[in-house]
Amino acid sequence: MIAVHEGQERILGHVGGPVPPEVVPVTRALARVLAVDVQAPFDVPPADNSAVDGYAVGSGDIPGSGTRELEVVGDLAAGAVFDGALRAGQALRIMTGAPMPAGADTVYPQEVVEHGGGRVRIGPIAKGVNVRLRGEDVEAGGIVIEHGTVLRPQEIGLVTSLGIWQVSVHRRPRVALLSTGDEVAEPGTPRRPGQIYDSNRFTLRGSIEQAGGEVLDLGIVPDARDELTARLREAAAMADAVVTSGGVSVGAHDLVKDVLAELGTIDFWQVAMQPGRPLAFGRLAGTTFFGLPGNPVASLLAFMLFVRPALWKLAGRRRLFPPAWQAQAMEPLRKRTGRREFKRGILAYRDGRWEVRTTGPQGSGILSSMVAGNCLIVLEEDRGDVAAGEIVMVEPFGEAF
Ligand code: AMP
Ligand code: MG
């Protein structure tokens, strides 16, 4: 039996470097992983400019007390440039975003001045206010976004503020996905007595896509050695990683690990965790193979713990694990020492603190617990029973950008 952390380390040690990059337009780059650092070709903003609609002045003209009248020598809209320079006794009407004229370093908001007849009356104000300085957002030559970053809308906006319209991102890792089991039926088709509908292939499909992968769906394979062998060969030939569910425990029809041992190299692990002990991991014709357990909660959990970090590494991401939070357990939790336990929780902010409760029955076949929950409650190996009120670790579900 190995610990969860040990399994994660071994897997990441086996998974190779990121898949190669490709160039895509920024309009197709959302949620992709940047392959090279983005450097700023110039300062942003490119020039000092006004942060308000008002009057630009030189600080030499700011009265220490009382007021002073200045001559308004022009009117500058955003997008225009003032050719001359302000001299003492002069002000320029200026709009938000317009570049500061030479000779000016301070802007009066129009609400704080009196103006009329080509003149403006100003009072004391701090030198330099209401000016956005050249390069205050991004400095020329600086790295604006590091490679390995997942591009959110704000990263894409920052990239385009530099005039860049295409970026180098890693190709999506291709993941071949299949379900195993004579009892597993395709949703939308009739179900024979004794059969259940496939859910794992769909929770896993969504999970792969959320993790930035591209799914190659190989359907359902019955518990028949020849068919499984053929389908796994096919899967390995087309994908960067292969993910299956079911057939990895110790039942008479659990063939996945046998077939894999024939086709490639296979490590079969009992992981000290609950739910979801069995996990098959290995290499199959140059691809990484994950044989996840069949129980729906266990397979999704095993995906989160073991497959997602590997896909994130393949996809070129810098951060491979989601953030963990702390919350107060609102109910006692049963916990056996010596293994890591994962309960489905409902996390909420109430009365000034984060609270978490379980979703109810926690059986590894109860997929509705994942639906009711918004986080995992993670109970560490050395921990025993948890009393109500104790602090526990939680990992919120979600996109985990
Ligand atoms: P196995 O590890 O193949 O014995 O499967 C363990 C349990 O998970 C059994 O109750 C299976 O019916 C169930 N199971 C296996 N594959 C799936 C699937 N694709 N969707 C839903 N349940 C499954
Ligand atoms: Mg099975």
Side-chain angles (χ1 to χ4, degrees):
M1 194 96 89
I2 64 168
V4 170
H5 281 121
E6 198 185 334
Q8 288 171 329
E9 269 169 35
R10 284 205 212 171
I11 288 170
L12 291 175
H14 273 82
V15 171
V19 293
E22 61 186 357
V23 173
V24 299
V26 289
T27 49
R28 312 288 307 170
L30 188 64
R32 304 294 296 271
V33 182
L34 196 62
V36 291
D37 296 342
V38 170
Q39 256 189 324
F42 49 77
D43 290 323
V44 179
D48 294 355
N49 67 90
S50 178
V52 294
D53 296 325
Y55 291 85
V57 305
S59 50
D61 277 335
I62 299 172
S65 60
T67 63
R68 173 175 296 170
E69 258 195 19
L70 304 179
E71 175 198 2
V72 178
V73 295
D75 191 336
L76 192 64
V81 173
F82 186 68
D83 286 336
L86 286 193
R87 283 180 313 205
Q90 294 184 330
L92 181 73
R93 178 151 162 79
I94 192 167
M95 297 297 118
T96 306
M100 292 292 285
D105 57 10
T106 302
V107 182
Y108 284 83
Q110 63 188 25
E111 308 81 53
V112 308
V113 301
E114 287 170 33
H115 53 92
R119 303 191 71 74
V120 60
R121 175 169 295 280
I122 59 174
I125 200 171
K127 175 180 172 177
V129 292
N130 299 318
V131 177
R132 304 167 179 155
L133 297 177
R134 168 181 180 161
E136 75 174 17
D137 188 359
V138 173
E139 273 185 56
I143 291 174
V144 186
I145 307 173
E146 275 183 76
H147 69 277
T149 303
V150 180
L151 299 174
R152 301 171 297 175
Q154 54 266 53
E155 275 84 20
I156 292 174
L158 194 56
V159 165
T160 56
S161 79
L162 301 170
I164 295 168
W165 67 278
Q166 55 182 13
V167 285
S168 174
V169 296
H170 290 286
R171 159 168 88 56
R172 288 180 216 280
R174 296 189 191 108
V175 184
L177 175 64
L178 56 90
S179 295
T180 71
D182 289 341
E183 80 283 25
V184 182
E186 185 69 36
T189 69
R191 178 182 61 158
R192 293 195 309 273
Q195 283 198 308
I196 54 159
Y197 281 120
D198 192 353
S199 62
N200 291 347
R201 216 166 89 249
F202 299 92
T203 52
L204 292 171
R205 183 189 183 96
S207 301
I208 291 164
E209 285 176 351
Q210 269 189 346
E214 187 186 316
V215 176
L216 309 171
D217 191 339
L218 296 183
I220 302 165
V221 189
D223 293 316
R225 194 173 288 263
D226 292 352
E227 265 193 71
L228 194 56
T229 305
R231 206 76 69 90
L232 287 177
R233 274 226 177 85
E234 190 189 334
M238 65 202 318
D240 301 303
V242 178
V243 174
T244 69
S245 70
V248 290
S249 31
V250 292
H253 302 283
D254 291 333
L255 299 169
V256 170
K257 45 190 197 295
D258 294 353
V259 168
L260 261 146
E262 273 170 41
L263 293 180
T265 55
I266 180 84
D267 266 330
F268 175 65
W269 300 338
Q270 299 277 348
V271 183
M273 62 186 267
Q274 219 275 320
R277 264 195 330 174
L279 176 74
F281 168 73
R283 305 287 303 167
L284 174 61
T287 67
T288 306
F289 174 86
F290 298 91
L292 306 183
N295 280 309
V297 174
S299 73
L300 184 48
L301 180 64
F303 179 91
M304 292 174 176
L305 295 176
F306 302 109
V307 185
R308 189 169 61 191
L311 289 189
W312 282 358
K313 186 173 178 196
L314 273 175
R317 286 205 194 202
R318 220 165 345 117
R319 287 195 34 213
L320 301 184
F321 295 97
W325 300 8
Q326 286 187 337
Q328 193 164 27
M330 299 311 287
E331 63 192 80
L333 303 170
R334 305 279 305 171
K335 167 67 173 60
R336 201 199 293 167
T337 55
R339 66 186 190 186
R340 207 167 174 88
E341 292 188 16
F342 300 86
K343 305 195 187 286
R344 275 66 70 208
I346 300 170
L347 179 67
Y349 188 72
R350 203 169 290 128
D351 301 330
R353 56 168 192 214
W354 287 98
E355 297 179 353
V356 69
R357 62 193 73 239
T358 67
T359 54
Q362 297 285 306
S364 68
I366 302 179
L367 189 53
S368 55
S369 69
M370 283 280 189
V371 173
N374 61 6
C375 70
L376 291 175
I377 303 172
V378 184
L379 301 176
E380 301 87 338
E381 285 78 354
D382 53 5
R383 193 152 190 173
D385 287 341
V386 175
E390 279 185 41
I391 297 295
V392 292
M393 192 198 320
V394 295
E395 279 182 19
F397 294 153
E399 288 278 313
F401 264 124

